């Protein structure tokens, strides 16, 4: 019985996150950002990993500053790293945990492009490409793969980025991305 209550509360949180995302997609960025920040406060830094991953993933889209977008994308990646397949299976319509990583790393690569840090972008592009096998042969998977190819082409034309802070750094230390139609992957469900 307790587990059913927890699942219902979790589904309610996912619904509330989805409502905020719909506001953002409808053009009300400030209201969406405010609601997402309120939900983040409810979830907390140590709250449910699926909620943190999903919320941070979408919160990144509401940021004006690429550094802030990077920070939220890093939170999403950190939460994904603590997410279990068991937890995902509790959520209706869930993906495999490994299917989150191509998009998360692609987001981080795009953040680094915006911050003019091509070496860090290349590192995350390589991670996204390595994880892309987990994507399905559907619209979402096709969209992520297409965005990955577009960003790889853009980064190939960038300088070497010698001396970039965080070059070669590990995941979750100094990595990030901010969205954008030409660069970013489709953001769908974490």
């Amino acid at each position: 019985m307790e587990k059913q209550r927890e699942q219902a509360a979790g589904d309610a949180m996912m619904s509330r996150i989805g409502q905020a995302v719909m506001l953002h997609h409808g053009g009300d960025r400030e209201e969406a950002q405010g609601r997402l920040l309120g939900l983040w406060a409810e979830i907390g830094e140590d709250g449910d990993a699926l909620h943190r991953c999903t919320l941070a993933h979408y919160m990144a889209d509401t940021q004006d500053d690429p550094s802030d977008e990077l920070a939220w994308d890093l939170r999403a990646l950190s939460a994904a790293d603590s997410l279990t397949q068991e937890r995902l299976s509790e959520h209706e319509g869930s993906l495999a945990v490994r299917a989150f990583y191509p998009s998360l790393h692609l987001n981080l690569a795009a953040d680094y492009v915006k911050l003019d840090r091509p070496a860090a972008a290349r590192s995350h592009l390589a991670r996204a490409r390595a994880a892309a096998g987990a994507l399905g042969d559907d619209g979402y998977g096709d969209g992520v793969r297409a965005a990955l190819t577009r960003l790889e082409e853009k980064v190939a034309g960038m300088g070497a980025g010698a001396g970039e802070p965080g070059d070669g750094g590990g995941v979750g230390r100094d990595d990030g991305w901010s969205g954008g139609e030409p660069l970013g992957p489709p953001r769908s469900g974490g």
Side-chain angles (χ1 to χ4, degrees), residues 51-188:
H51 297 159
R52 287 184 294 120
C53 181
T54 304
L55 190 147
H57 184 68
Y58 287 112
M59 185 65 170
D61 288 341
T62 70
Q63 304 305 304
D64 293 320
D65 183 307
S67 295
D68 293 337
E69 192 170 1
L70 171 61
W72 283 105
D73 280 324
L74 285 170
R75 286 180 183 109
L77 181 63
S78 177
D81 286 343
S82 62
L83 192 55
T84 65
Q85 190 61 47
E86 179 182 355
R87 171 59 183 106
L88 271 180
S89 67
E90 294 171 3
H91 182 71
E92 184 179 327
S94 65
L95 297 170
V97 171
R98 58 191 176 85
F100 281 36
Y101 287 97
S103 177
L104 293 172
H105 285 294
L106 181 57
N107 293 343
L108 289 167
D111 289 338
Y112 282 124
V113 167
K114 289 179 181 182
L115 293 167
D116 196 28
R117 295 182 50 197
R122 285 183 190 97
S123 174
H124 282 281
L125 283 170
R127 292 173 182 155
R129 184 60 73 188
L135 295 169
D137 289 326
D138 55 16
Y140 176 74
D142 292 345
V144 171
R145 284 186 288 271
L148 178 55
T149 298
R150 286 192 308 271
L151 191 57
E152 286 170 333
E153 290 169 0
K154 180 175 181 71
V155 171
M158 296 176 77
E164 285 183 45
D167 284 358
V171 173
R173 284 204 319 237
D174 190 50
D175 306 329
W177 174 81
S178 79
E181 276 307 306
L183 299 180
R187 297 226 181 209
S188 172

Side-chain angles (χ1 to χ4, degrees), residues 15-31:
S15 294
R16 292 169 67 199
I17 293 169
Q19 290 167 353
V21 170
M22 289 188 330
L23 282 171
H24 182 239
H25 289 167
D28 197 344
R29 184 181 194 158
E30 287 183 35
E31 178 67 20

